[in-house]
Amino acid sequence: MGTVLVTGATGTLGREVVRLLLARGVAVRGLSRRAREAGDGVEWVVGDLVTGAGIAAAVAGVETVVDCATTQGKEDVAALGRLVAEAREAGVRHLVYVSIVGIDRVPVAYYRAKLGCERVLRESGLGWTVLRATQFHDLLLKAFDLSAKLPVFPVVSGALIQPVEVREVAGHVVERVGREPAGFAPEVGGPRVRSYRELAGAYLRASGRRRLVVPLWIPGAAGRALRAGGLTAPERAVGRGTFEEALARRVG
């Protein structure tokens, strides 16, 4: 299927995508902002999607790009625009973009940026696939780790989420590599919808931390959407790994 370029190749999702592609015998080129030593089977290239430096060389000779990179929303749209322009110039056949379930239902800045990225792809002239996933277990665990450092433990009131194992999402992403562009692929959700408070309680018990749990009310349209399950896809509960399993690995 030719060389596959993975952006965000050193991130939480990108690492798993790279690992699975290598396991399938795919030639992988990983984009990194810093030079990295060879020896892990990846052809590492230096480039920066924010400035555009090195991107033309990174996409040269590539058939498929898997975009796992993010600037946490601040410059995602412009960064993807640069990647798309260089990919189009290089004759890239397929760009796979990893997005988030519910970004069209929960009005926050980061999700608006992700929607903007999806629009860039739709208008790119490239073959494209967008795969939306629910929140990774790793993201929740990082949020809980930060909360545990505070004097009280804030819990988003009424929020419903459907956490998913990042390795499973990576598997769905890799399945799209080598296929024809699909537009919007079926979404990937965790095994079941949970309340933020329930998951926070599981975290505190497993980590042995005693904290005063304080409800955090999110007002307005964003709060209403979170409480209505705007970030969930119960009809796409295809994940199998549970939050408790991810938590046990972290605590262990």
Side-chain angles (χ1 to χ4, degrees), residues 58-217:
V59 297
V62 166
E63 183 172 321
T64 302
V65 174
V66 178
D67 187 17
C68 301
T70 182
T71 66
Q72 300 304 316
K74 296 178 181 178
E75 298 189 63
D76 275 6
V77 178
L80 183 59
R82 295 183 186 96
L83 178 62
V84 162
E86 297 293 358
R88 190 169 50 233
E89 184 70 21
V92 169
R93 188 186 67 84
H94 188 188
L95 198 156
V96 180
Y97 180 74
V98 183
S99 191
I100 304 170
V101 165
I103 56 174
D104 48 351
R105 297 189 292 263
V106 182
V108 298
Y110 181 47
Y111 296 158
R112 285 194 291 269
K114 299 295 280 187
L115 278 173
C117 289
E118 292 182 357
R119 184 170 57 252
V120 168
L121 271 185
R122 294 198 306 270
E123 299 171 356
S124 67
L126 294 172
W128 58 274
T129 297
V130 167
L131 189 145
R132 289 181 176 183
T134 55
Q135 281 66 36
F136 300 155
H137 294 141
D138 304 67
L139 176 65
L140 274 178
L141 289 169
K142 288 177 182 177
F144 290 155
D145 285 344
L146 289 173
S147 295
K149 295 177 181 179
L150 301 174
V152 295
F153 196 98
V155 171
V156 183
S157 296
L160 298 175
I161 49 180
Q162 190 179 350
V164 67
E165 176 58 46
V166 66
R167 288 176 291 186
E168 294 182 312
V169 176
H172 285 271
V173 171
V174 169
E175 284 179 5
R176 294 290 158 184
V177 175
R179 294 187 183 182
E180 290 301 309
F184 283 96
E187 295 178 336
V188 178
R192 64 189 180 98
V193 176
R194 316 279 297 273
S195 74
Y196 191 94
R197 186 181 185 92
E198 175 191 2
L199 295 170
Y203 169 87
L204 289 171
R205 288 191 299 274
S207 60
R209 291 181 168 94
R210 297 175 63 86
R211 295 288 187 277
L212 176 62
V213 174
V214 176
L216 176 63
W217 180 259

Side-chain angles (χ1 to χ4, degrees), residues 2 16 24 29 31 38 43 90 112 122 133 138 159 170 214 252:
E16 292 297 327
R24 295 187 178 196
R29 182 179 297 170
L31 183 68
E43 177 195 355
R112 285 194 291 269
R122 294 198 306 270
D138 304 67
V214 176

